[in-house]
Amino acid sequence: MHSKNLTLLTDLYELTMMQGYYDKQDNPTVIFDVFYRSNPFSSGYAIAAGLEQVIEYVKNLNFSYDDVDYLRSLHIFSEDFLQYLSGYHFTGSIYAIPEGSLIFPKEPILKVVAPIMEAQLVETAILNILNHQCLIATKSSRIVYAAGDTGVMEFGLRRAQGPDAGLYGARAAVIAGCVGTSCVLTGKLFDVPVMGTHAHSWIMSFPDEYTAFKAYADLYPEGCTLLVDTYDTLKSGVPNAIRVFQEMKDAGISPRKLGIRLDSGDLAYLSKKARKMLDAAGFEEATICASNDLDEYLIHDLKMQGAAIDSWGVGTNLITSKDCPSFGGVYKLAAIQNKNGEFEPKIKLSENTEKITNPGNKTVYRIYEKETGKMKADYICFVDEEINPEEDLLLFDPSETWKKTKMKAGTYTVREMMQPIFINGECVYTSPSVKEIAAYCRQEKDTLWDESKRLFNPHQMYIDLSPRLYEVKKQLLDRMSADD
Amino acid sequence: MHSKNLTLLTDLYELTMMQGYYDKQDNPTVIFDVFYRSNPFSSGYAIAAGLEQVIEYVKNLNFSYDDVDYLRSLHIFSEDFLQYLSGYHFTGSIYAIPEGSLIFPKEPILKVVAPIMEAQLVETAILNILNHQCLIATKSSRIVYAAGDTGVMEFGLRRAQGPDAGLYGARAAVIAGCVGTSCVLTGKLFDVPVMGTHAHSWIMSFPDEYTAFKAYADLYPEGCTLLVDTYDTLKSGVPNAIRVFQEMKDAGISPRKLGIRLDSGDLAYLSKKARKMLDAAGFEEATICASNDLDEYLIHDLKMQGAAIDSWGVGTNLITSKDCPSFGGVYKLAAIQNKNGEFEPKIKLSENTEKITNPGNKTVYRIYEKETGKMKADYICFVDEEINPEEDLLLFDPSETWKKTKMKAGTYTVREMMQPIFINGECVYTSPSVKEIAAYCRQEKDTLWDESKRLFNPHQMYIDLSPRLYEVKKQLLDRMSADD
């Protein structure tokens, strides 16, 4: 039901360019790279997410009669071309870094190898899907990091930018470490924990707060978290909650989980006071959940101030990635196959050096220190290059080339990050479950230095080019400026 | 195809509360108001959008077998309740301010009157849909305002927060005054203009820029906009575009539209230079389109600097509403029907005065000055109150009550803003087309004072309460604080 056909979810220019290639009867195989230029939030890393939805999109790509009729009505497409579209399906190959992986700027995270007409069409939707989920996964990971050993729940559906943003944003949040979501549809479609108790309206629909709590506890004795801030948190909410907890205890009910939720006021002050009140009443096991405009910075500060908070419900700031609501993934031409079947590297110039692309048919290796198991660098090279860990490996910074590190033979291990997803139109990859992806993501983060996880001014990973790739890039740049 | 079933697009707590009401066998009819507390971007207004999708959502509300099976698997719902859900459909009434209307803080923009179980369920999805589209419409309206008599095109699909955010964001953008969108699916589903030409990859896939331009012009002689910044805008791009335009002219082709697009560099400088070059070559009619990280502030500044730009392609900052990516719409209990069939007003207290709600079964009237046709104030009152424009009307500020204005009899006109959408489960409203909504929205903006349209520090509209509503609110507040 939710794998809707997104074939027309594309910018018009993809179709006008397609017709151009069709008209020229020249449809060379090309390579497009998806990559991003810098980490959002000045983070030390980002998290790959959305590949499963990209796969669904590509599998479902086809122009219905309706779609073709609509395109005909625009009066810019020829009947021949529309005929071609009716029979269109994707015949190319796609390689990608799996979901849950840590990813870094300027390295290809997904690569499309396909006839240019096909490769051009899929640009917009692939970027839309990856940009969204990578963004929310990265934001969520920062929030989860700030919360440390306390759990983060995703509660943002009502403020998400439309239904999909809620549905898939929650998916990305769980991949990145959130313990669950309030979004029931995400729970159903992706088998992840769903969470939530009641709202202020529940309290307000009863004659008084105590009666409302009591009714809720009667109904959900197993897991009873009461929202205590409808009237006055410390004077009314917490005492009423304790009264109900005591009545449950007296009745011999021992719930799996007792707790309160704070949703307004000063969360540091109120949580410490509430903790004391709960403890004094003999409810040391009762947990305190906090919500209300939280993000990684506020959680970090509240924890610094000793807030007695056991779990966090994070909404708007997570699901919209408020301080940076877009992920700058781009889709750039890297190579065109010539008549001899070789991929000729292509480069996009820019006055802004940061925007110059890496040419050619590339892959990404991740280099780990053998001793610590931690990531040392990512190494971008041509697909036909191999790294032999029994030989020394020279790493150097592609912008500041005097910065060099030699990895001694035997001191490092290597992992190729990109995996085949589609080969000649056939999907060869099975997406893991979201729970599996989340577990893998946790492992991935364990291999990242703590210095790169900091919220503020983290160490930025080394992203290096192979000497051969560096040389080819340099030659292309030299040749282009000589043309001036 | 795109009216998917969003029944489970809800927070879990809506369902746990529903079961609570079900269990208590007490399902009074209640009133929930959707409203927001302050304008995003410190704007002087917001724009209503998303109602058509809310209507679809409510019409399609039903729990499939799959949905019920999934809920059963959570082990928190009784069989009785699950049985009830299988037969669930919405039997309540909904009133709303139509799409394209200007809306203001604290007034109800949508009102649900329904048995509490039903009213509670629809909270999350209604907020999700309205919050998203109202946000993007309001942001777009500001960008359109900054662009003045030059057109704004929505180009953000690849950076939108998922497919729906692109699809419906573009819809909201057109409602608010964008002349078109790059999103083909939005064009198809909502019959709005789609736009776009070609990307840098088109240029790069040809041996040189001239050949690429030439090929494009051959293909689309009718409307030919060439992207001139792939190599060097002024040295290569604009001269090559002029060469191709000249060749078209020489061949006797007179296109409906000739133009260039600038996508990098200093848009003020480059557009003025390019304008001179185009004019000098005899192409005064060729238009200049600009894109690249635009928003209302940059467009405003570029126009101040005399940029020679005829149209704007706006992407990321529009489609994600970058400087404020969420609209704070909330859904609050306003009244509960008692045994006598009367709605007893309910109020939500808060330490934050701004967060105190307006109680009761309300509606909104808009008051216009007869002489100018401009909006004077919005007037929130109970549904049984009527305004007779042949009598004096006292307006006063509900927070600063000494601020009073008397509208003299005969000097003003009145319009009720809320319209019936569903009555007892039946949809009684037909959504206008997006083009009609956009035309209505233009009219709406014509009735707003220029002072309220400014980008910076605009005049904030007067949103007043009727004396009776004010009194009831005051009494409820007094009673609650007496309870302390």
Side-chain angles (χ1 to χ4, degrees), chain A residues 12 15 68-77, chain B residues 184 187 192-194:
Chain A
L12 181 67
L15 291 166
V68 172
D69 276 353
Y70 169 68
L71 293 176
R72 182 178 293 117
S73 76
L74 298 178
H75 302 297
I76 49 176
F77 299 111
Chain B
V184 182
V192 298
V194 287

Side-chain angles (χ1 to χ4, degrees), chain B residues 115-146:
Chain B
I116 193 164
M117 291 174 62
E118 300 180 27
Q120 196 66 68
L121 176 67
V122 297
E123 171 179 23
T124 313
I126 287 179
L127 287 179
N128 172 283
I129 293 166
L130 293 183
N131 275 333
H132 173 230
Q133 290 198 44
C134 291
L135 178 72
I136 304 303
T138 307
K139 179 70 177 173
S140 302
S141 181
R142 289 167 62 78
I143 296 171
V144 167
Y145 174 80

Side-chain angles (χ1 to χ4, degrees), chain B residues 111 215 223 237 299 312 330 394 409 445 459 467:
Chain B
K111 179 171 83 169
I299 291 174
W312 313 81
V330 294
L394 180 72
K445 286 194 257 185
H459 168 72

Side-chain angles (χ1 to χ4, degrees), chain B residues 279-442:
Chain B
D279 290 352
F283 295 102
E284 288 88 353
E285 77 282 17
T287 58
I288 300 179
C289 167
S291 50
N292 190 24
D293 247 344
L294 296 170
D295 63 13
E296 65 269 44
Y297 311 107
L298 184 50
I299 291 174
H300 175 85
D301 269 13
L302 287 168
K303 286 182 73 88
M304 294 275 287
Q305 296 195 320
I309 295 172
D310 306 292
S311 68
W312 313 81
V314 186
T316 310
N317 296 325
L318 183 159
I319 206 70
T320 66
S321 188
K322 189 164 188 179
D323 54 339
C324 177
S326 71
F327 191 85
V330 294
Y331 187 87
K332 296 292 175 192
L333 184 66
I336 302 185
Q337 203 169 33
N338 65 20
K339 307 270 183 253
N340 307 326
E342 291 151 1
F343 280 109
E344 286 185 9
K346 288 278 169 178
I347 196 164
K348 161 93 177 66
L349 271 188
S350 174
E351 288 179 36
N352 183 340
T353 311
E354 290 296 294
K355 286 195 169 186
I356 296 174
T357 59
N358 287 320
N361 186 9
K362 303 177 296 293
T363 191
V364 180
Y365 288 95
R366 188 152 291 167
I367 316 291
Y368 298 87
E369 280 188 2
K370 214 174 206 170
E371 194 185 340
T372 60
K374 299 283 186 190
M375 295 179 196
K376 182 72 187 178
D378 272 8
Y379 186 86
I380 311 175
C381 60
F382 294 115
V383 287
D384 59 359
E385 295 189 79
E386 275 179 27
I387 302 180
N388 179 357
E390 302 309 318
E391 293 174 7
D392 290 356
L393 179 70
L394 180 72
L395 299 174
F396 69 95
D397 188 304
S399 341
E400 295 157 320
T401 49
W402 61 93
K403 291 189 183 167
K404 292 179 189 176
T405 310
K406 187 177 275 178
M407 300 294 292
K408 284 238 160 83
T411 67
Y412 66 96
T413 61
V414 166
R415 179 164 74 116
E416 185 166 5
M417 295 305 292
M418 298 194 91
Q419 297 186 13
I421 310 297
F422 285 84
I423 296 293
N424 300 327
E426 192 191 338
C427 183
V428 297
Y429 182 80
T430 305
S431 286
S433 72
V434 169
K435 280 178 186 163
E436 288 164 343
I437 298 171
Y440 165 68
C441 186
R442 265 197 309 280

Side-chain angles (χ1 to χ4, degrees), chain B residues 40 43 75 102 182 211 213 241 275 300 320 347 390 401 455 476:
Chain B
S43 168
H75 301 297
L102 300 198
S182 67
T211 314
F213 284 175
R275 181 75 272 157
H300 175 85
T320 66
I347 196 164
E390 302 309 318
T401 49
L455 295 181
L476 281 171

